[in-house]
Amino acid sequence: MEQTTESNPQELVAFLTLCKDYCALIEHASEYSRTDFVQRTYGYLPEIFSYLSQMPATSTEELEDWFASYTQVISDETVSYYEEQVRALLGEELDLFLHYPVGVAQDGELQPERLSRLLVLIYRELGTPLLVLREDAGELLVATLAILQYAFDTYMGDALLSALRVLHYHKQAEGLEEDSDRWAIEGIQ
């Protein structure tokens, strides 16, 4: 992890800036139109995925030490509040998005996952290093980034891809609807 923070400080700053922008989008979701929110989110997620997928893994021993003292700094209440805000903005049909198979496999069946839940899960994981950075830019930040990379490998990568799939499908479906509406109007004239 030292490699990420020391040899590529510009990339780390760019990533933390991206995290800050994504978190601000989630925190101010009610101020956006649904279309603008979807487009912005659709723009952030591939960049986040790309950065996290290239982070070097941390040794298991170091991770175990860091996990022993790690506490989630973004509360469940905060997560619930923002999830409700995002859910209200997306609307029920996009939030559940039953047209696309996204969710968690349980007992051999895919259980639908709410898009708002996935987006806020990503928010929680990305927001933690930002809050830690306010207090400590040293070993604690390095540990938090290592835990973020571990979260990406274990479940957050899937959450990012699932959310991106739903947003991509929605964006394409919306674009097709707009095109067919435009063609219908042009065909009439």
Side-chain angles (χ1 to χ4, degrees), residues 1 14 37 49 63 67 76 79 83 90-91 117-118 123 139 146 148 165 170 177 181:
M1 185 48 72
F37 180 82
F49 186 92
L63 272 175
F67 269 124
D76 291 340
V79 167
E83 186 176 349
L90 294 175
R117 180 75 183 140
L118 294 173
Y123 160 82
E139 186 69 19
L148 176 61
R165 278 190 215 120
H170 171 72
E177 282 180 23
D181 290 346

Side-chain angles (χ1 to χ4, degrees), residues 19-185:
C19 293
K20 179 182 159 291
D21 292 345
Y22 178 80
C23 290
L25 177 68
I26 297 297
E27 291 168 354
H28 299 280
S30 62
E31 298 171 18
Y32 292 92
S33 70
R34 181 165 110 169
T35 301
D36 192 28
F37 180 82
V38 166
Q39 288 175 343
R40 288 173 183 264
T41 305
Y42 187 74
Y44 290 137
L45 295 185
E47 291 182 54
I48 293 166
F49 186 92
S50 176
Y51 186 88
L52 289 173
S53 67
Q54 295 175 35
M55 285 178 73
T58 305
S59 74
T60 306
E61 187 177 293
E62 280 181 303
L63 272 175
E64 287 174 2
D65 291 343
W66 288 333
F67 269 124
S69 62
Y70 179 78
T71 55
Q72 182 55 258
V73 291
I74 299 177
S75 71
D76 291 340
E77 293 80 23
T78 301
V79 167
S80 294
Y81 174 78
Y82 289 130
E83 186 176 349
E84 286 302 315
Q85 297 294 312
V86 172
R87 182 178 296 152
L89 175 65
L90 294 175
E92 196 65 21
E93 72 281 359
L94 177 56
D95 191 33
L96 275 177
F97 214 86
L98 299 174
H99 308 294
Y100 195 88
V102 58
V104 179
Q106 293 177 350
D107 299 327
E109 283 188 36
L110 193 65
Q111 304 298 316
E113 179 70 90
R114 291 185 172 272
L115 178 58
S116 59
R117 180 75 183 140
L118 294 173
L119 295 176
V120 173
L121 172 74
I122 295 163
Y123 160 82
R124 185 179 210 173
E125 294 299 334
L126 295 178
T128 300
L130 297 175
L131 293 173
V132 166
L133 184 59
R134 290 181 184 170
E135 303 296 322
D136 174 61
E139 186 69 19
L140 185 57
L141 178 62
V142 171
T144 304
L145 289 171
I147 291 169
L148 176 61
Q149 191 277 330
Y150 175 79
F152 174 79
D153 285 346
T154 55
Y155 65 90
M156 198 171 113
D158 289 335
L160 278 160
L161 286 175
S162 295
L164 191 57
R165 278 190 215 120
V166 171
L167 292 169
H168 178 74
Y169 188 88
H170 171 72
K171 197 168 179 242
Q172 297 306 342
E174 197 173 75
L176 291 174
E177 282 180 23
E178 289 172 7
D179 286 346
S180 54
D181 290 346
R182 189 185 73 216
W183 291 332
I185 291 170

